[in-house]
Amino acid sequence: MAYNHNVPENCRLFILVGKGIKEDAFREAFGKYGKIEDVWVVKDRRSNEDKGVVYITFSRASEAALAMQEMNGRVVPGHPKPIKVLIANSKRDGSVRDPHEDEKILRLFLIIPKSMSEDELRREFEQYGDIDYATVLRDKNTGESKGFGYVKFFRPYHAALALENCDRSFKPKFAEPKMPRGERDNDYEMDYQYSRDTRPPGAYPRGPERGPDRHERGTKRCFSEYSGRDDYHDDGPPRSRFSHGPLGQHRSPDDLEQRNDEIADHKLVGEGPMEMIQNYVNNGCQRLHVTAPLGLTQQYLTRLFNLIPGLEYCDLNEATGIAYVRYATPQCAAYAKDKLDGFEYPLGSRLIVRFADAPNVPDLKTASAMNFENYGIPGSSFERDESDTIRKAALILEKAGINPDRVLASDNSIERVTYCNIMLPLPKPLSPEDSSLAQRLFIVCQPAAVPERILRDAFCRFGDLIDVYLLSGRNYGYAKYASKECAMKAISVLHGQSIAGQRLKVLEAEPPKEDNRREGRDRHDSHSE
DNA sequence: CGACGGGACGC
DNA sequence: CGACGGGACGC
């Protein structure tokens, strides 16, 4: 435990690259995919010359996977050679090439309820991306679930999103590769298989509502554009030379309401107005940069952008409120930008949607700042007719399966949540799992258990929550806090209230029953690793 | 085309 | 009444 400080798994990129490129160029090229923790341009000890290898550590695996997916095979500006981007092995594993190393970044090991079937497991995780397989391990004799399973994705980015965003009770981990000796069939060249536009063999479009253009792209583009691609050369669906008007144009309040209407009237939902989308100009940009209000969750934002056909991913950094969204075609992206830029979501806040890397929008900061002027200032003309706007927006959110009551309160300190009978403080970040325990609470749900994600959402709102869980199959459990005040606040607010239809008791927990009284220096820490 | 530095448990 | 959680894949 001494070294290897808490760098999460699969957050580091291993990049093969031309020599003479400086650290700043990598920060510039990779920084937009996430928070860069470290850039190391490897140099020869003696000659001090570049070795053509760079390591970049991101704060999260999804950021690294996204950067790999987007940057592999591209060039760093000003340097002609396309780079090769892989997820780095952990330092401990060294440079060994495991023949099944892809499992380390594609497959999750998950703790699941004993009652959960493979279908349910798959359904739970396919919200994060296309799934290769979902398995539940069972006792050979009784057939009873062992309470854990594996889910394998096609893309590292999707696996990482699932890991980071699934209910914490799954205790997700990247699975250790373990393969029967028999080889698997689709062992095609791994090197570039996760790159930008590829869709793996057997992948299917997520969700039945996807537009037909998805299928056309589908399987056959896997390796078409890797070699030496250095710019936008879209070979996607039929492009149109016509547009429904200029893009990125200043918008009037009437336009916003008009768009809300369109969405509410289903013009935008479901099978999608494909011919309309095709009429959007192809500017070669499939990625959008979204500025969302803080507090908005990954899941909710994904549902919103998924209303528009062709969504490939929607990655929100919940800490910054910045999301990157990608669609199957530039037209879909343009359509999404047109419809959702300035959209009131959640109620009371507006999204800002820009092209992430369009040549004609070189400076994101400038674009965002301008946009704030247009939409973000209270007292602007957007406030007129407020009740009507809110009503329409609520309609749209309901269609996306989003709870319209989850409104950011005007004073930004409490909100209405549908699962609870009272207003609650806004969610606060969890304390790290290894935080020292300050107070434990005993929780009883009567008459029946409440899903853990709801408990987590409720109990985190007082701050410094480490963990909350119910004993498996029971209606009681514990919440652990890193601060006594936060725990006591949770008791004072939540005790006696109703959550997900259950009556809640929240008490200070008694010390664990098995008297571990010898808390001195009972065991010597085996310094592992 | 292919693999590991610097600084470092702490206010 | 309601008291203490689960963890690796048929070679």
Side-chain angles (χ1 to χ4, degrees):
Chain A
M1 288 276 207
Y3 35 96
N4 237 358
H5 30 157
N6 304 319
V7 176
E9 267 187 291
N10 296 334
C11 286
R12 200 171 56 132
L13 296 179
F14 171 59
I15 305 169
L16 296 153
V17 69
K19 305 180 182 185
I21 308 178
K22 294 213 221 30
E23 176 178 329
D24 282 353
F26 292 106
R27 290 191 182 275
E28 175 71 22
F30 284 79
K32 59 184 167 210
Y33 302 109
K35 181 177 171 207
I36 292 179
E37 303 285 359
D38 188 37
V39 174
W40 171 25
V41 181
V42 180
K43 294 184 191 309
D44 184 274
R45 267 270 174 65
R46 310 191 169 193
S47 67
N48 204 35
E49 281 182 8
D50 290 354
K51 293 173 83 171
V53 167
V54 177
Y55 293 98
I56 298 180
T57 306
F58 282 91
S59 70
R60 298 198 289 168
S62 61
E63 297 167 346
L66 181 60
M68 171 174 71
Q69 171 175 302
E70 296 299 312
M71 287 301 292
N72 187 33
R74 295 218 178 180
V75 297
V76 179
H79 302 267
K81 183 180 166 177
I83 64 176
K84 184 165 172 177
V85 185
L86 302 165
I87 303 291
N89 284 348
S90 71
K91 278 192 175 175
R92 209 191 53 192
D93 291 352
S95 59
V96 293
R97 296 184 71 176
D98 188 323
H100 297 297
E101 64 189 353
D102 62 327
E103 302 214 326
K104 287 206 292 276
I105 56 178
L106 292 175
R107 203 171 61 128
L108 301 181
F109 173 70
L110 303 160
I111 303 301
I112 60 176
K114 289 254 194 340
S115 60
M116 184 175 254
S117 71
E118 291 188 349
D119 277 352
E120 290 166 330
L121 182 61
R122 173 185 283 271
R123 275 197 290 278
E124 178 69 28
F125 280 84
E126 66 190 4
Q127 61 180 303
Y128 306 106
D130 298 332
I131 289 174
D132 187 351
Y133 60 77
T135 57
V136 171
L137 279 93
R138 297 178 180 281
D139 184 284
K140 300 176 188 75
N141 301 319
T142 70
E144 187 197 359
S145 166
K146 289 185 177 173
F148 60 89
Y150 295 95
V151 171
K152 188 176 179 189
F153 290 85
F154 286 109
R155 285 175 170 268
Y157 178 59
H158 292 151
L161 277 186
L163 178 96
E164 291 160 11
N165 296 297
C166 73
D167 193 297
R168 298 342 276 161
S169 62
F170 285 111
K171 293 290 155 72
K173 288 183 158 73
F174 286 107
E176 290 299 322
K178 180 163 276 183
M179 265 285 135
R181 354 180 17 179
E183 293 304 317
R184 294 185 74 73
D185 37 12
N186 359 341
D187 247 352
Y188 47 86
E189 234 322 286
M190 267 198 51
D191 286 350
Y192 292 106
Q193 89 185 55
Y194 308 120
S195 293
R196 285 154 275 139
D197 272 338
T198 66
R199 309 261 323 156
Y204 50 88
R206 259 182 295 156
E209 77 283 8
R210 287 303 160 72
D213 67 311
R214 273 291 283 241
H215 290 88
E216 296 173 17
R217 291 174 78 73
T219 55
K220 289 312 166 204
R221 302 188 64 228
C222 286
F223 306 106
S224 60
E225 65 180 26
Y226 297 129
S227 48
R229 171 170 179 175
D230 58 16
D231 210 334
Y232 303 102
H233 296 300
D234 190 271
D235 56 356
R239 56 183 91 183
S240 169
R241 295 292 161 207
F242 308 101
S243 96
H244 260 223
L247 294 168
Q249 209 182 31
H250 194 119
R251 204 192 304 282
S252 77
D254 285 340
D255 290 332
L256 286 173
E257 295 199 358
Q258 156 95 30
R259 179 189 45 220
N260 286 7
D261 282 338
E262 283 178 16
I263 299 181
D265 290 347
H266 267 265
K267 288 184 192 157
L268 219 165
V269 194
E271 37 296 330
M274 291 311 296
E275 68 290 324
M276 248 180 77
I277 292 180
Q278 293 303 336
N279 284 338
Y280 275 72
V281 75
N282 178 353
N283 64 353
C285 189
Q286 290 162 255
R287 248 165 31 101
L288 300 174
H289 178 279
V290 178
T291 305
L294 287 178
L296 187 61
T297 64
Q298 168 76 52
Q299 191 185 23
Y300 280 44
L301 193 69
T302 302
R303 280 155 124 171
L304 181 71
F305 279 84
N306 203 27
L307 287 172
I308 290 164
L311 181 69
E312 290 192 342
Y313 60 73
C314 171
D315 181 39
L316 172 66
N317 182 334
E318 293 180 5
T320 63
I322 301 296
Y324 285 92
V325 178
R326 184 184 161 102
Y327 284 89
T329 71
Q331 290 91 343
C332 291
Y335 186 72
K337 175 179 178 297
D338 192 32
K339 296 303 175 189
L340 293 177
D341 182 34
F343 184 61
E344 181 165 339
Y345 181 78
L347 305 183
S349 309
R350 292 201 187 277
L351 296 179
I352 298 163
V353 185
R354 307 279 94 153
F355 291 114
D357 38 18
N360 56 341
V361 186
D363 185 355
L364 291 175
K365 283 175 189 153
T366 304
S368 295
M370 284 167 46
N371 205 61
F372 270 118
E373 285 174 26
N374 294 341
Y375 296 129
I377 308 282
S380 76
S381 57
F382 289 113
E383 291 205 353
R384 79 192 171 89
D385 225 354
E386 192 179 80
S387 62
D388 197 41
T389 302
I390 288 179
R391 186 181 54 74
K392 286 173 186 164
L395 234 167
I396 293 157
L397 301 190
E398 270 179 347
K399 288 185 194 307
I402 294 160
N403 173 5
D405 286 344
R406 192 183 172 109
V407 181
L408 297 177
S410 54
D411 68 354
N412 253 3
S413 65
I414 56 173
E415 67 177 341
R416 177 90 221 167
V417 289
T418 45
Y419 63 73
C420 189
N421 61 316
I422 56 167
M423 304 275 281
L424 294 178
L426 298 182
K428 294 190 177 52
L430 301 180
S431 290
E433 192 134 13
D434 55 6
S435 308
S436 68
L437 177 66
Q439 179 66 53
R440 223 166 49 114
L441 305 182
F442 180 57
I443 303 166
V444 185
C445 309
Q446 286 172 321
V450 163
E452 260 183 37
R453 79 191 128 79
I454 294 181
L455 287 177
R456 188 168 309 275
D457 186 90
F459 280 80
C460 78
R461 291 163 182 269
F462 309 95
D464 288 349
L465 179 70
I466 302 170
D467 194 16
V468 57
Y469 60 91
L470 301 184
L471 299 187
S472 88
R474 306 290 163 91
N475 65 332
Y476 53 84
Y478 298 89
K480 297 179 184 175
Y481 284 90
S483 125
K484 172 126 184 166
E485 298 106 289
C486 296
M488 300 315 279
K489 207 158 50 168
I491 292 181
S492 72
V493 174
L494 291 178
H495 180 65
Q497 303 305 328
S498 156
I499 275 189
Q502 310 303 314
R503 209 71 182 172
L504 208 58
K505 289 188 180 179
V506 186
L507 323 168
E508 293 183 61
E510 299 297 329
K513 74 166 175 211
E514 283 201 301
D515 273 18
N516 291 350
R517 198 167 290 253
R518 62 256 158 109
E519 56 205 40
R521 60 290 308 264
D522 49 338
R523 61 200 162 122
H524 42 83
D525 267 76
S526 55
H527 40 286
S528 56
E529 256 184 307

